[in-house]
Amino acid sequence: MTWMQAVIICAAVCVAAAERRFPEGFKFGAATASYQVEGAWNVSDKGENIWDRFVHSRPEAISDRSTGDVACDSYHRWQEDIQLLVDMNVDFYRFSISWSRLLPTGFSQRVSADGARYYGDLIDGLLAKGIEPIVTLYHWDLPQPLQDLGGWANPMISDWFADYARVAYNLYGDRVKTWVTINEPTVICDIGYNNLIAPGLESEGRGSYLCTKHVLLAHAKAYRLYERDFKPKYQGQVSLTNHMMWFEPATEQDVELTELVKTLSIQRYCHPIFSSEGGWPPALERYIAEKSREEGEPRSRLPPFTQEEKEMLRGSYDYLGLNHYTTRTVRPAAPGEHIGTHLFDGFKELGVVLGAKPEWPTTMSHWFMVHPEGLRALLVSMKQQYGDVPIFIMENGLSDTGADLDDQPRVDYYRSYLEQVLLAIEDGVRVVGYTAWSLLDNFEWMDGYQSRYGLHHVDFSSELRTRTARRSARYYAAVARTKDIHAQYQFNKTNTVKGV
Ligand SMILES: *[C@@H]1O[C@H](CO)[C@@H](O)[C@H](O)[C@H]1NC(C)=O
């Protein structure tokens, strides 16, 4: 090109880059989950759930042997949480309902008055401040009585979940317009059945696939129920949110294997719902059927859908929800090489080991590398596969040790990932909202309180569970207000906190 053309192109692109902003109507919010923040595990008539059982019976499974018994005490301090959200100028708060707080037995014949009041107050409190509630029905805390009947491996659970969803829609559907049925099926099924988190069962490649099927059907039943009985009067939207890493081949030889990894890790949970043909991703279905045959199994370990189930699932969404944290590389395991059991170590089913490019910065979590470009690639691939669906980023954020209120690396993480979201929007992907994980430090599952994702620091040594804004909270507040990732903000680390 001539220098003149170069100048013209640069003028266009450079101006766009400088003025790049999120469109009007784009929503910013922050998220938490019931077990991670509420505490009050045994107040009133709340029933026991699988996380209560797991942390109490297997303390060694949590790195610091902590529990969510008190956590951030948001059951009592939800008004403080709302104030933090107000100070951050966010459009919405994504939180989850604890199934066993609302339905102490797990079944819908008895609704807890206390549980119903708690979530009603929270919803009303948010709306009074102009903050939209986005409600997740299931963020991993299954009522223990349902686990005792087989939990997600029992086909009946899709009906029990729909019964629970009906109670929640009846109670809050007039005020809640965005519902997330299920958070991260892959973590529920692949980590939960790999003995790492509750319910702590060991049934990889069998129990995990039963769980996958029934989690998807539970979602679809809850979706269809809303569509039929509630959407006509409330006009809300319902979907689920999937955990999606992005994957890159380690070498040019690994391109095909990387595609297979995506069918297992991403499309297993998306294809039945978002593809036009429905059902399991064909390449994955073939792969597991063949492997099962070689292993002498009488049938595929991946249970089939009936035609009716396929139809119920296909199109059961109003938006595509995704949670994204990191990108990993894919290579085949060497003969005899041990593949770690963590979801982020590899996939035994495929004989795959996950790695990272040396130039990707590492974080305090061994599975978590910073590679913002992966988010743009993921968003573009969603549009390529599933068409022009509205995409809602339901989680994104960075963990650290929580030692410093001046969390510049988290600010950098948010700015760089948000920039990739902007680029994806310029690519034509319809991204409609973004959720920071998390509003505040909380009980981070098997990492206990050692891994912190909060925009706000929480002092877990104080009975008050004092919340203090980090630098990242100030930055995010400015972004939410201006829709500009380079917005100016003030951060004064004057109010230093005990334990920081
Ligand atoms: C609730 O659990 C706590 C431990 O987290 C315990 O000290 C307390 O006695 C329990 N309360 C009830 C009512 O069982």
Side-chain angles (χ1 to χ4, degrees):
M1 79 181 88
T2 68
W3 69 269
M4 195 47 154
Q5 283 167 318
V7 167
I8 291 166
I9 289 169
C10 177
V13 174
C14 300
V15 168
E19 291 182 349
R20 194 172 279 140
R21 257 171 221 256
F22 285 90
E24 277 310 308
F26 187 94
K27 290 178 184 174
F28 285 97
T32 61
S34 48
Y35 187 77
Q36 294 180 275
V37 300
E38 284 178 7
W41 78 282
N42 58 357
V43 302
S44 166
D45 56 350
K46 177 182 164 293
E48 187 190 26
N49 65 45
I50 59 173
W51 271 93
D52 298 323
R53 177 70 62 91
F54 189 66
V55 298
H56 294 147
S57 62
R58 297 189 39 193
E60 73 291 347
I62 311 300
S63 64
D64 57 2
R65 300 179 79 88
S66 63
T67 73
D69 287 358
V70 181
C72 308
D73 200 20
S74 287
Y75 176 79
H76 297 108
R77 302 181 190 282
W78 56 272
Q79 283 158 313
E80 292 174 45
D81 294 344
I82 292 178
Q83 191 53 48
L84 304 179
L85 292 155
V86 169
D87 293 344
M88 284 205 305
N89 311 305
V90 291
D91 302 294
F92 66 89
Y93 178 38
R94 176 182 171 228
F95 64 92
S96 78
I97 294 179
S98 162
W99 189 337
S100 38
R101 194 180 297 289
L102 195 57
L103 305 180
T105 65
F107 296 99
S108 64
Q109 88 292 2
R110 185 160 72 78
V111 179
S112 162
D114 180 70
R117 176 199 50 74
Y118 173 65
Y119 296 109
D121 286 351
L122 176 57
I123 289 165
D124 290 341
L126 289 164
L127 290 171
K129 300 286 187 184
I131 298 168
E132 183 190 341
I134 293 189
V135 176
T136 307
L137 289 172
Y138 188 73
H139 202 123
W140 310 355
D141 40 3
L142 190 71
Q144 186 63 39
L146 305 188
Q147 186 60 50
D148 294 341
L149 298 176
W152 291 106
N154 185 333
M156 286 303 295
I157 198 164
S158 57
D159 287 329
W160 302 334
F161 181 75
D163 297 341
Y164 159 50
R166 181 186 290 283
V167 172
Y169 297 155
N170 267 323
L171 283 168
Y172 311 122
D174 57 338
R175 286 157 287 165
V176 174
K177 301 301 172 189
T178 300
W179 295 90
V180 182
T181 53
I182 307 264
N183 180 73
E184 297 186 349
T186 185
V187 175
I188 299 167
C189 298
D190 299 307
I191 304 192
Y193 285 78
N194 212 340
N195 204 15
L196 289 169
I197 62 168
L201 294 169
E202 184 95 68
S203 187
E204 192 181 3
R206 196 184 298 278
S208 57
Y209 293 155
L210 285 173
C211 172
T212 302
K213 177 179 174 180
H214 301 143
V215 159
L216 290 171
L217 290 176
H219 155 76
K221 283 188 181 169
Y223 178 89
R224 297 299 173 199
L225 168 65
Y226 187 88
E227 184 182 45
R228 190 183 62 232
D229 295 350
F230 297 89
K231 202 172 197 170
K233 56 183 166 189
Y234 295 144
Q235 268 100 50
Q237 49 176 354
V238 180
S239 191
L240 78 174
T241 189
N242 276 301
H243 181 279
M244 301 188 199
M245 278 181 268
W246 186 241
F247 299 100
E248 290 188 1
T251 72
E252 278 167 33
Q253 273 83 58
D254 305 320
V255 172
E256 218 170 294
L257 190 59
T258 303
E259 291 310 306
L260 193 59
V261 164
K262 289 179 196 162
T263 68
L264 182 73
S265 182
I266 302 176
Q267 291 156 22
R268 175 165 35 131
Y269 299 99
C270 290
H271 196 272
I273 295 171
F274 299 99
S275 72
S276 49
E277 61 272 33
W280 297 122
L284 182 71
E285 196 168 32
R286 268 197 310 276
Y287 179 92
I288 298 177
E290 192 150 316
K291 197 155 170 243
S292 302
R293 206 158 33 242
E294 281 166 15
E295 292 160 349
E297 297 274 345
R299 62 188 72 81
S300 177
R301 287 181 279 101
L302 185 69
F305 291 117
T306 65
Q307 198 54 38
E308 195 187 343
E309 289 169 341
K310 251 190 212 175
E311 289 309 312
M312 179 170 65
L313 272 159
R314 197 167 61 94
S316 60
Y317 68 88
D318 298 313
Y319 60 87
L320 186 154
L322 67 85
N323 301 358
H324 177 79
Y325 291 90
T326 191
T327 296
R328 303 298 301 274
T329 58
V330 171
R331 67 165 173 84
E337 181 177 0
H338 173 74
I339 301 173
T341 53
H342 196 282
L343 173 64
F344 307 103
D345 294 338
F347 299 95
K348 285 207 194 95
E349 184 75 272
L350 308 178
V352 159
V353 175
L354 298 180
K357 300 241 162 105
E359 63 268 28
W360 298 344
T362 54
T363 70
M364 71 156 295
S365 301
H366 76 280
W367 53 269
F368 193 160
M369 286 80 191
V370 179
H371 181 57
E373 293 81 359
L375 177 54
R376 179 185 186 180
L378 172 66
L379 291 166
V380 168
S381 86
M382 286 296 112
K383 174 167 180 177
Q384 281 167 352
Q385 287 174 75
Y386 305 124
D388 190 26
V389 41
I391 297 180
F392 210 127
I393 298 170
M394 286 292 178
E395 288 183 22
N396 179 232
L398 179 68
S399 70
D400 66 15
T401 57
D404 202 342
L405 287 176
D406 192 353
D407 57 345
Q408 188 63 45
R410 184 174 285 110
V411 172
D412 296 341
Y413 179 95
Y414 278 119
R415 187 184 287 122
S416 63
Y417 274 72
L418 282 168
E419 181 170 41
Q420 297 298 315
V421 177
L422 281 166
L423 290 167
I425 292 172
E426 286 177 18
D427 294 335
V429 184
R430 193 143 59 100
V431 189
V432 296
Y434 177 90
T435 316
W437 183 273
S438 171
L439 173 63
L440 65 176
D441 291 342
N442 55 52
F443 178 77
E444 182 49 34
W445 313 113
M446 58 215 216
D447 292 336
Y449 297 101
Q450 287 175 332
S451 170
R452 301 200 179 207
Y453 281 87
L455 294 161
H456 296 88
H457 172 271
V458 176
D459 181 2
F460 292 103
S461 68
S462 144
E463 213 175 305
L464 298 173
R465 295 299 192 273
T466 311
R467 286 102 158 108
T468 310
R470 292 198 168 102
R471 174 185 285 278
S472 56
R474 297 293 180 238
Y475 168 70
Y476 196 63
V479 173
R481 190 181 70 247
T482 61
K483 306 210 188 294
D484 175 3
I485 61 171
H486 299 294
Q488 298 298 310
Y489 63 96
Q490 297 274 317
F491 173 69
N492 272 323
K493 201 179 148 184
T494 46
N495 45 353
T496 41
V497 180
K498 204 165 65 130
V500 168

